[in-house]
Amino acid sequence: MTYWRSVILVLLGACSYGVLSMVMKLGFSVGYTPTELSGSQLLFGGIIMSVLALLFSKERFRFKYVMSLVPVSLMMAFASYLYNLAVSHLSASLAIVLFFQFTWFGILLESISKRQWPSLDKWISIIMIGGGTVLASGLGETGWNDVSLFGLVCGLLSGFSFAVVIFMSGRILPDLNPYLRSAISISMASLMLSLVYPPTFLLNGRLLDGLLPYGLLVALFGSVIPIFCLSVSVPRLGNGLVTILSAMELPAVVLLASFVLHEPVSLTKWSGVLLILAAIAVPQIKWRQVLPPSQAMREKSG
């Protein structure tokens, strides 16, 4: 896997979350519940990745992989359900902005793991992300009266859960085949979620009554693409650069919310998106890592 292919995979995974937000909203509009959609997301995601693992993974399945990946699957299940719940109570743009707070949650997790406080530039970044969130969500225009507190909490918790998923992706079995790793992680997350929310849609006729297309789409854009991309790219690029590249999901979801869901996206909201992107870049961009190795050597020698 080359450097730039890894970069493209991260961008693809980030944009897929933007598409997920749109699909979730469309599913809610025709009467499907967060439980049905989040359950479909992980169930079908696990099935799709298991088939891909059988076809493309040369590494054999071992039970020890299951035990090692339990924490990743648990946080994945939390992130999936909480994000879907947030989308059902908030606008698509606000839900994704809250989910996007995994960036500064990730900074805090990294600082805790290294047992040192974030540097000054990272504190500045955290403050900028907070300001950008207010602008991008439209809270500065409409206030808090029409915003669901429950949705806000679910959105922030989904962001924290996803930050933990990224954090562990680079530390737990980083060399495991990405197809096998993704299949195990997503399948276990589906089983965990089904213990609390049984997949009754498999038996009550909802699946064949129109839920199946939505289930396959949320599985593809919410589990298969992003989790596989993380499994491939985080061990190669590192958490810092992956976090920066993941910023692509914000422009994607705002564009989709505006042109597909017809949600209002004002200049103020776009300003918030740009502020968040700048905030992520402040503490983390290192040009020697962003440029290909050969070009970085030429820059250094020049």
Side-chain angles (χ1 to χ4, degrees), residues 238-250:
N239 291 336
L241 184 55
V242 168
T243 300
I244 295 171
L245 296 172
S246 296
M248 280 300 299
E249 69 182 85
L250 274 172

Side-chain angles (χ1 to χ4, degrees), residues 201-224:
F201 55 86
L202 294 176
L203 302 175
N204 61 13
R206 296 277 282 177
L207 188 64
L208 299 179
D209 192 31
L211 176 61
L212 182 59
Y214 290 97
L216 292 175
L217 287 173
V218 295
L220 181 63
F221 293 109
S223 293
V224 175

Side-chain angles (χ1 to χ4, degrees), residues 263-285:
E263 295 184 358
V265 181
S266 64
L267 180 61
T268 300
K269 293 183 179 181
W270 277 112
S271 300
V273 169
L274 294 176
L275 182 59
I276 292 175
L277 294 177
I280 296 169
V282 167
Q284 298 196 54
I285 286 184

Side-chain angles (χ1 to χ4, degrees), residues 15-43:
C15 291
S16 72
Y17 273 115
V19 180
L20 172 65
S21 178
M22 179 194 68
V23 175
M24 293 295 298
K25 274 293 185 181
L26 293 175
F28 293 141
S29 68
V30 295
Y32 299 115
T33 67
T35 300
E36 290 173 332
L37 290 174
S38 59
S40 300
Q41 174 184 331
L42 293 175
L43 175 63

Side-chain angles (χ1 to χ4, degrees), residues 4 6-21 83 92-93 96-97 99-103 162 166 221 225-226 229-230 237 239-257 270 272-281 284-285 290:
W4 285 111
S6 297
V7 169
I8 291 172
L9 280 177
V10 177
L11 295 176
L12 178 62
C15 291
S16 72
Y17 273 115
V19 180
L20 172 65
S21 178
Y83 173 70
S93 55
I96 196 65
V97 166
F99 175 80
F100 194 69
Q101 302 312 299
F102 74 81
T103 51
F162 188 67
I166 294 180
F221 293 109
I225 295 177
C229 291
L230 285 177
L237 300 178
N239 291 336
L241 184 55
V242 168
T243 300
I244 295 171
L245 296 172
S246 296
M248 280 300 299
E249 69 182 85
L250 274 172
V253 75
V254 172
L255 281 171
L256 289 169
W270 277 112
V273 169
L274 294 176
L275 182 59
I276 292 175
L277 294 177
I280 296 169
Q284 298 196 54
I285 286 184
V290 175

Side-chain angles (χ1 to χ4, degrees), residues 128-151:
M128 291 174 65
I129 288 176
T133 299
V134 174
L135 294 175
S137 64
L139 294 177
E141 300 172 349
T142 62
W144 295 87
N145 293 331
D146 298 327
V147 176
S148 167
L149 178 60
F150 178 75

Side-chain angles (χ1 to χ4, degrees), residues 139-212:
L139 294 177
E141 300 172 349
T142 62
W144 295 87
N145 293 331
D146 298 327
V147 176
S148 167
L149 178 60
F150 178 75
L152 287 173
V153 173
C154 289
L156 288 173
L157 289 178
S158 70
F160 175 77
S161 300
F162 188 67
V164 177
V165 171
I166 294 180
F167 181 79
M168 292 188 295
S169 293
R171 289 167 171 78
I172 300 178
L173 301 179
D175 298 324
L176 183 62
N177 180 277
Y179 290 102
L180 183 58
R181 177 193 174 90
S182 300
I184 294 173
S185 299
I186 299 173
S187 296
M188 283 200 300
S190 176
L191 290 174
M192 292 173 182
L193 195 63
S194 67
L195 294 176
V196 182
Y197 301 103
T200 56
F201 55 86
L202 294 176
L203 302 175
N204 61 13
R206 296 277 282 177
L207 188 64
L208 299 179
D209 192 31
L211 176 61
L212 182 59

